[in-house]
């Protein structure tokens, strides 16, 4: 079955430290990959996407993500976390073969001062 | 530039009733997708409309139906409401069928 997995419900990191939010997927073909962020009392916001090309993509607010085809992963990263990065992060996949979208269950990122 | 708007914000319905949710897409976007988000879970894809035609559907029964209008706004209709339909319903618009999506604030539906 097609799916997206975010294995960590919560990630805790100290401000200034690097952060990684993990995502793996099980979708046929060459899907499009996305990260979205949801701040408290605000809607989902687009962060970045991978379609093709360089495996490291850069997005908004200093975030980047690394695509690994052999591991079917698309981990979100940031070199130096900010307290304001604390939010709920969703990985999403677009299945081009069946015109469907799949979202992970979300990872809550807590950045402590 | 106007973002994605949804109406109503909240809605309470009784089991067995029908409901219509509305979405206005962002200016310049011709594609609208609808999602159901239960508490504590990620959005579940219901369907997508591109230029007034359904263009992909998730694992939702036929009582979930939709429309897209010439101005690219959209409606989600749910018939024969069930208690499990209680959720946040999100609308998202995009410039193309596989482009990044811009989400509205959602409609909170409660079925009693």
């Amino acid at each position: 079955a097609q799916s997206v997995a975010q294995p960590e419900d919560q990630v805790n990191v100290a401000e200034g430290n690097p952060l990684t939010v993990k995502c793996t997927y099980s979708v046929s073909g060459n899907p499009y990959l996305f990260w979205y962020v949801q701040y408290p009392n605000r809607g989902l916001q687009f962060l970045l996407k991978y379609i093709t090309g360089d495996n490291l993509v850069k997005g908004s607010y200093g975030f980047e993500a690394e695509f690994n085809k052999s591991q079917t992963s698309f981990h979100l990263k940031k070199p130096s976390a900010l307290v304001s990065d604390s939010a709920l992060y969703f990985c999403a996949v677009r299945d081009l073969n069946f015109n469907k979208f799949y979202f992970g269950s979300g990872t809550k990122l807590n950045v402590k001062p | 530039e106007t973002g994605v708007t949804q109406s109503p914000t909240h809605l309470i319905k009784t089991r067995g009733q029908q409901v219509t949710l509305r979405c206005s897409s962002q200016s310049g976007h011709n594609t609208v997708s609808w999602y159901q988000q239960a508490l504590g879970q990620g959005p579940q894809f219901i369907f997508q409309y591109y230029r007034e035609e359904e263009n992909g559907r998730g694992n939702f029964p036929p009582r979930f139906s939709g429309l897209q209008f010439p101005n690219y706004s959209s409606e989600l209709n749910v018939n024969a409401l069930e208690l499990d339909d209680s959720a946040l319903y999100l609308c998202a618009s995009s410039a193309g069928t596989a482009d990044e999506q811009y989400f509205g604030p959602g409609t909170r539906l409660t079925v009693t």
Side-chain angles (χ1 to χ4, degrees), chain B:
Chain B
E1 184 178 84
T2 305
V4 178
T5 60
Q6 293 185 242
S7 62
T9 305
H10 296 91
L11 203 53
I12 300 175
K13 289 286 189 179
T14 302
R15 188 172 51 184
Q17 286 187 317
Q18 179 265 342
V19 69
T20 298
L21 310 182
R22 295 178 174 82
C23 171
S24 292
S25 59
Q26 186 166 306
S27 176
H29 287 181
N30 58 19
T31 304
V32 173
S33 302
W34 285 92
Y35 294 85
Q36 181 193 69
Q37 186 176 22
L39 204 59
Q41 297 184 20
Q44 298 292 311
F45 177 65
I46 302 175
F47 43 57
Q48 181 183 78
Y49 277 81
Y50 170 66
R51 295 187 175 180
E52 303 179 58
E53 295 288 332
E54 187 177 291
N55 179 56
R57 187 179 183 94
N59 297 327
F60 281 81
R63 59 188 185 85
F64 285 79
S65 63
L67 281 174
Q68 188 180 31
F69 300 99
N71 66 355
Y72 303 130
S73 65
S74 177
E75 285 183 355
L76 165 65
N77 298 291
V78 187
N79 293 322
L81 283 167
E82 301 177 359
L83 297 179
D84 284 348
D85 295 335
S86 295
L88 181 68
Y89 287 84
L90 298 170
C91 167
S93 73
S94 56
T97 60
D99 288 353
E100 61 268 25
Q101 298 179 329
Y102 292 83
F103 284 80
T107 294
R108 172 73 61 187
L109 173 65
T110 301
V111 183
T112 62

Side-chain angles (χ1 to χ4, degrees), chain A residues 68-83:
Chain A
N68 187 315
K69 186 171 184 177
S70 63
Q71 297 184 2
T72 61
S73 66
F74 188 54
H75 300 333
L76 181 70
K77 301 182 179 185
K78 188 174 182 181
S80 179
L82 299 173
V83 171

Side-chain angles (χ1 to χ4, degrees), chain A residues 32 34 36 38 43-44 46 49 90 94 96 98-101 103-106, chain B residues 35 37 40-43 45 48 55-57 59 90 97-101 103:
Chain A
Y32 290 3
F34 304 85
Y36 290 86
Q38 188 170 39
L44 280 159
F46 168 74
K49 68 179 178 183
F90 290 96
R94 167 70 163 169
L96 297 174
F98 297 99
N99 291 333
K100 294 184 179 183
F101 281 92
F103 273 73
S105 56
Chain B
Y35 294 85
Q37 186 176 22
Q41 297 184 20
F45 177 65
Q48 181 183 78
N55 179 56
R57 187 179 183 94
N59 297 327
L90 298 170
T97 60
D99 288 353
E100 61 268 25
Q101 298 179 329
F103 284 80

